[in-house]
Amino acid sequence: MKDSNKKSSGIEESKDKEGLTSSNQDQPESALQNLVETGETGGPIKKVTGYATLKDLGMLTRVNKKFQSAMNKEIKQRELFIHSIVTVDHTLLLAKTKQGQNKLYAYGKNNYGQLGLGDRRARNEWTEATLPEGLDLEQIIVGYNQSFLKGTVGGEDKLYACGRNRHGQLGLGDNEDRTEWTEVPLPRGFTIDKVMAGGSFAFLTGKISGQDKLYACGGSRWGELGLGDRRARNEWTEATLPEGFKIEEVMAGYYHSFLKGTVDGEDKL
C-alpha cells in the first residue's frame, strides 16, 4: 500500500511495533466506516477482511475496539479444527467446527470423480464437498483414483464411495465410475472397523457377531485381494483369514497387501 496522511473512515494511519507505516486507505470505505461506527459484523467485516492484509488487520485491531470485538466474533464463528487429512493423487480433509459440525474439503486430481464434487474437474484449491445427508463422518479414505467415507446415519454404519470403479473397487456391484458420494451396500450384520484402499482394490475390516471379518473387492491381477485367485470382484467378498489369526492392521499398496496381527498372542504378518 502507498503511504498516506489522510484519514480513512475515521481511522488514522499508524505505525506498528517495528516502526513500519500501515494504512487502511485501500479498504472499502463504506464497509469499514459502517463497521467502525456501529461495530456490525456480517457483510461489512467480510468485505474488510477480504481486502486487508495481515498488517492492516493488526493495525485496525489495535486502534479500534469495535473492530477487534467484531473480528473476534467472526473468528469464533468460522474457525475450523483439522481432524484428519488423507492423500494419494488427490486429497481429502476432514475438519470440525467448534460446534462439532463436520466439514469435508477436497482438492487435486479428479479425472474419475474421486473428489466427490459431482464432476471430473480437478481443483487446485480446497473445495467444500457436500456430505451425504445425516452422515456423522468418522473416517476419510483415499486410494488411487477412489475415495471412501465411513460413518453412521442414525447410529447405523454407513459407507460411501466415489471415483474410479473399472475393477469394481468401490464395492457397488458394478463397474461404473461415480462422481458423487454413493452409498455402498455392506455385508449383512457387518460392523465396520476400518476401510483401506489400494491401487485398484479395497478392504473392509470389522465383525459379525463378535468375530473378526475381512472383506475385499476390486482388481486382483496379482492376487492382491488374498482370495486365492486373480479374478476381480465388484462386490465385497469375504477373505479367509489364517487359522486363529486376530487382525490388527491391513495395509494396501498399489498391487500388494499385508495383514498384521497375532496368533495365540504371537505377532504374525
Side-chain angles (χ1 to χ4, degrees):
M1 289 184 181
K2 296 180 180 179
D3 292 340
S4 172
N5 293 321
K6 295 180 179 180
K7 293 183 179 181
S8 177
S9 304
I11 301 279
E12 293 185 4
E13 169 185 278
S14 68
K15 292 184 178 182
D16 59 21
K17 292 182 180 178
E18 289 73 33
L20 299 176
T21 302
S22 178
S23 168
N24 65 323
Q25 66 175 18
D26 292 338
Q27 309 299 330
E29 287 194 18
S30 60
L32 181 57
Q33 185 169 359
N34 182 53
L35 178 64
V36 170
E37 292 177 354
T38 67
E40 292 180 2
T41 58
I45 193 169
K46 283 181 170 58
K47 290 180 182 179
V48 173
T49 56
Y51 282 91
T53 66
L54 291 176
K55 185 186 293 184
D56 295 328
L57 295 179
M59 181 274 292
L60 289 168
T61 300
R62 288 196 297 272
V63 300
N64 189 273
K65 291 182 179 179
K66 288 183 177 179
F67 186 89
Q68 183 177 28
S69 175
M71 279 289 292
N72 289 340
K73 183 177 180 180
E74 181 71 11
I75 289 171
K76 287 179 181 178
Q77 289 175 341
R78 299 179 66 186
E79 189 171 3
L80 292 174
F81 298 91
I82 295 176
H83 178 274
S84 54
I85 184 168
V86 290
T87 184
V88 178
D89 58 350
H90 61 292
T91 305
L92 298 182
L93 168 68
L94 172 59
K96 291 182 178 288
T97 66
K98 283 191 171 182
Q99 293 73 33
Q101 183 182 6
N102 288 318
K103 295 284 186 179
L104 180 65
Y105 296 88
Y107 84 88
K109 190 176 177 182
N110 193 35
N111 52 330
Y112 297 100
Q114 57 263 47
L115 298 185
L117 298 172
D119 57 44
R120 297 173 185 264
R121 182 167 57 86
R123 304 298 201 279
N124 60 15
E125 294 181 342
W126 288 113
T127 304
E128 185 171 358
T130 301
L131 290 172
E133 187 174 357
L135 179 66
D136 183 8
L137 185 55
E138 298 171 351
Q139 185 186 5
I140 51 176
I141 306 96
V142 299
Y144 291 89
N145 304 316
Q146 68 199 77
S147 304
F148 293 92
L149 302 179
K150 170 190 171 292
T152 60
V153 175
E156 182 181 354
D157 281 349
K158 294 289 183 180
L159 182 65
Y160 294 85
C162 66
R164 193 180 191 193
N165 195 35
R166 179 182 178 183
H167 303 284
Q169 57 261 53
L170 300 185
L172 294 169
D174 59 42
N175 296 76
E176 299 296 323
D177 298 342
R178 302 297 200 280
T179 62
E180 297 181 343
W181 296 109
T182 304
E183 185 175 352
V184 179
L186 296 173
R188 181 173 295 180
F190 182 70
T191 301
I192 303 176
D193 180 17
K194 290 183 180 179
V195 184
M196 288 67 57
S200 61
F201 61 102
F203 289 109
L204 297 179
T205 62
K207 297 181 184 297
I208 293 180
S209 300
Q211 184 177 358
D212 284 349
K213 294 290 182 179
L214 176 66
Y215 288 88
C217 69
S220 191
R221 182 179 177 184
W222 286 273
E224 54 265 48
L225 298 185
L227 297 173
D229 58 39
R230 297 172 185 267
R231 182 166 58 88
R233 308 295 203 281
N234 60 21
E235 295 181 337
W236 296 107
T237 304
E238 185 175 357
T240 302
L241 295 171
E243 188 174 353
F245 184 75
K246 294 186 179 299
I247 300 175
E248 293 179 351
E249 190 173 356
V250 179
M251 292 149 278
Y254 199 84
Y255 292 127
H256 59 281
S257 310
F258 289 94
L259 295 182
K260 175 183 176 293
T262 60
V263 175
D264 295 328
E266 184 179 354
D267 287 343
K268 295 290 182 179
L269 184 64

